[in-house]
Amino acid sequence: MYFGVDYHPEQWVYPYGGTTENPEAAWERDIELMQAAGVNVVRMGEFTWGLCELSDGQYDFAWLKRVMDLMQKAGIKVVLATPTAAPPIWLSQKHPEILPVDERGLVKHEGTRRSVCLNSDIFWQYSKRVVEAMAKALGKHPQLIAWQIDNGLGGHYTEASFNEDTRRDWHGWLEAKYETVEKLNQLMGLRHWGQVVSSFDQVPMPMMAPTVHNPALVLDWCRFCSDTIVQFVKMQADILHELTPKCPVTTNLRPLLHRFDHFDLAGVIDFVSIESTAALKTKSAELACEIDMLRSLKKENIRTPDGDCGFWVMEQKAGNVNWQEVNSLVRPGVLRMFTYQLVSRGASAILFFRWRQPRYGNEKFHGAVLPHDGRNDGRIFREVAQLGDEMKLLAPALKGTRVQAETCILYSHDNEWVLQQPMQPNKHFSLRDHIQLFYNSFHDRNMAVDFARPSEDLSKYKLVIAPSLHLLSGGEADRLKLYVQNGGTLVSTFNTGLVDEHNLAPDTGRPHDLTDLFGLEVVEFDELPPGEENHLVFKGTFPTSHLHPAKLWCDLIEPRGCQILASYAKDFYSGRPAMTMHGFGLGKAIYIGTQSHSHFYDDLANWLRQMCSLHPFLKVPEKIEVSMRQKEEGNVFFLLNHQASPVRIQFYKPMHDYLTGSTFSGNYDLQPHGVLVLDEHAMPKT
C-alpha cells in the first residue's frame, strides 16, 4: 500500500532552505524525515511550469530529476503532476488571449493558478508541448509510477470562460449535437421570448443579461463546459499513455464540488484520486457520503500503480486549511481516525497535503506534516508516522480487497445542474441535503452504499434509491423500469421526472415516463416554506417510531393501481396519498411524495432492510462507524469511534485485531477517536 505526502521541493532551495554552498540541501533532510514517517511515495510538480520553462521553449527538468534521484536512493516512488494548472507569467503576457473572460465580459488577469481559458487553442498547444517535454525528460525515471494530470480542475469558479475561442467551440458543439438549427430551436424551446436563431453562430453564451437565460440553453452550456474539461484531460492522458505506457494517469477530484461531469472525467483516466475534506467537516456521515460518491465514479477498468482496484487519496489535509473564515486545528487522533475512514471505504493510497508549511505564498499557514522550521517532534508528524507504521502492517491484509455494496443512490450531474438554476419550485430544496438524509440512515446502520448514474447497469443492487431525479431522460427511465422488472426494489421521491433530457416538461403525466412504474400520477405539487409542515398518517404496513412531518414539497398523487402506505394529514389534500408502493414485474417501486425529518429516513431504512434482506456488517453501538473491505479469503472490518469518550462494544465471537495482533471477545472499550481493524479469524500474536 502506498503512503506518502505532497512535496514541493521548489519551495525549499536557498535562501528558503539549504545553504549558499548547497542550495538544495534541505531536500536530503526532508527525505530522511519522510523515511522516518514511513513515506514510500510523493506527489510533486503540479505548479512548476514557470520553473520548468523559464522562457518560451527553454526547458529545465534537471532539478526535478535531481529530486527523483534522491527519492530513488531512499526507495520513495514519485507521482508527477503535469504543471498546466498554473501557466507562467511570460505565457500570459505573450498571449493575453489565453486569459479567461468572465460572464460580464471582463478579463481575469494573470498571476495566479487557473488563469486560463481551456478553449484556447494557443493554451492547448503550449500545454501539449510542456506535457510532452516533461514526459520525455522524466517519463523513464525508475521512480515514476503515475501521472497526475493538472490540479484542481474547475477550481476558483473556472469551469467556464466566455472568450472568443469558447464561442467558436460552443457553436461547433451545438452543431454537432443538434445538426440543424430548426432542431435546436425546437428542443431548446427558443420560441419563448422569441429568442429563435437562424444559424448556430447566433446562439449566445449565457453571459450576464437583464434576466435569466433559457434554462435549456444553460443546461447545454454546463454540458459543453464539462466536455471541454474532460477533453483537456483526455488530451494529456493520450500524450502520457503514448510516451509512458506503463504509468497510469489520474487527476485529483473534490466531492462533486466543481461543475463538470465527474463520471465522464473518470472515464478518461486510469484511476480516481480524491481530495479529502476531513479538515473541514467533522460529521462522519457527510464525509463518508463524499468518499462513497468519489469511489463510485469508476467501477471498472481501474488501473492503479500497484494493480489494486481502489482509489487514491492524493490530498489528505494534514491539519487545518487556510481559506475558511476560521481555520481550526484538527484535534489529536482525529486525523488518524479520518484517514482510516478513507482506507475503510476503499482507498489504496494516502498522501498528506502538504509535507511542510511553506515560508511564503498563499499557503504559509495551511496545515502540514511539518511546520516551517522542519522539526519532527510535533503532534501531526507523530500521528502521521504512527499511520505509516500501521499501513505497513495492514498492507498485506488489504491487498485485493474491495468495498461491495448492495444499496445504491442515483445521482447525475445534468440533474444537479438543472436544480441549481433559478426559478425552481422551491429555492429551499437542496438535492445534496436530500441525498444526505437517505445516506445518513444507511450509514448509521453500517450498510455500504454505492452511487451511480441512472444510465448504469443497476442489476447487482438489491435496493436503489433515486432521490429527486428532476431531469430524467427516456433512456434512464427505461433503465429504472428494467431494474424493477427484473426484481429490484426502487425508491423514488418527489421532484422526479419533471423534465426530460432537453429540459422540456412532458405532456404525458408526471413523473415523466414512469407513471406506469409507480402506478400513479402526480397532478400537482404544493411547495412549503421552511417552518411550515403538513403531517403524515401511515398504514400498518410501514412501522414508525415517531410522528413524521411533510416538509418543503408535497406531491398531490392520483393513484393508478398503487398501494397507499401513507397519506397527508391536513390541508385541502388531507387523506391523499403521500407514500406508495407498486408491484412492477418481479420487483417493487416505492414513491415518496414529500421530504421529512431524519427519523422518517431511519424508519424507512429499517423497513427496507427487512424487505430487501440487507444486513449490517457487525452489531455495534450506534456511535460506532463500521465499514468492510471484502475478498475471497475473508472480510476486514473497520470500527471507528467518532466520540470524544470511550464506547463499549460487545463481541460475540473472537475477533483478531490487525493493529495489535491480539484476539479478543466479550466487552471491549474503544477509546475516543479510536480505531479497530478486525477479522473474524483468531490469530496468535506474533
Side-chain angles (χ1 to χ4, degrees), residues 324-531:
Q324 295 192 110
E325 291 184 4
V326 177
N327 297 292
S328 302
L329 291 174
V330 175
R331 269 35 193 177
V334 173
L335 181 66
R336 174 176 176 265
M337 178 187 65
F338 280 130
T339 299
Y340 272 104
Q341 186 184 47
L342 289 157
V343 174
S344 75
R345 293 179 179 274
S348 58
I350 303 286
L351 285 79
F352 287 93
F353 183 88
R354 55 177 44 236
W355 169 244
R356 186 170 172 183
Q357 287 182 305
R359 295 175 57 198
Y360 52 89
N362 297 334
E363 296 175 345
K364 290 190 297 291
F365 302 111
H366 194 293
V369 179
L370 295 182
H372 299 109
D373 58 17
R375 292 175 56 181
N376 66 334
D377 56 357
R379 174 174 65 89
I380 300 296
F381 180 87
R382 292 196 303 271
E383 203 161 320
V384 169
Q386 178 186 352
L387 279 164
D389 290 338
E390 292 172 349
M391 291 303 125
K392 290 176 186 175
L393 280 175
L394 287 176
L398 297 181
K399 183 69 176 176
T401 60
R402 63 172 64 227
V403 175
Q404 301 277 19
E406 295 180 316
T407 299
C408 181
I409 296 176
L410 300 185
Y411 174 92
S412 82
H413 290 83
D414 284 10
N415 184 49
E416 178 87 80
W417 295 333
V418 170
L419 290 173
Q420 288 172 351
Q421 292 187 34
M423 297 188 178
Q424 295 299 316
N426 191 333
K427 73 174 185 177
H428 300 286
F429 170 74
S430 163
L431 178 63
R432 293 297 293 276
D433 290 348
H434 189 39
I435 288 172
Q436 194 71 50
L437 282 167
F438 282 98
Y439 183 90
N440 289 351
S441 294
F442 289 98
H443 168 272
D444 293 349
R445 281 150 187 77
N446 297 314
M447 296 160 65
V449 173
D450 275 351
F451 284 81
R453 292 196 271 200
S455 57
E456 290 184 34
D457 178 8
L458 305 173
S459 60
K460 68 178 180 179
Y461 300 108
K462 291 183 177 179
L463 173 65
V464 170
I465 311 290
S468 295
L469 293 178
H470 174 95
L471 180 147
L472 191 70
S473 72
E476 290 170 341
D478 288 343
R479 278 281 190 183
L480 298 184
K481 289 180 183 178
L482 179 65
Y483 168 73
V484 179
Q485 179 96 37
N486 290 336
T489 298
L490 174 71
V491 178
S492 189
T493 75
F494 63 93
N495 203 2
T496 288
L498 297 193
V499 298
D500 66 10
E501 63 267 38
H502 303 292
N503 214 350
L504 290 172
D507 59 3
T508 55
R510 297 182 292 245
H512 172 55
D513 279 350
L514 295 177
T515 54
D516 56 340
L517 174 63
F518 293 106
L520 57 79
E521 183 176 347
V522 176
V523 293
E524 292 183 88
F525 40 85
D526 188 23
E527 308 305 319
L528 305 182

Side-chain angles (χ1 to χ4, degrees), residues 77 93 278 295 306 463 465 487 539 545 557 651 656:
K77 297 295 186 181
Q93 293 180 344
R295 182 195 70 237
D306 58 0
L463 173 65
I465 311 290
K539 309 291 183 181
S545 60
I557 294 169
F651 294 104
H656 164 247

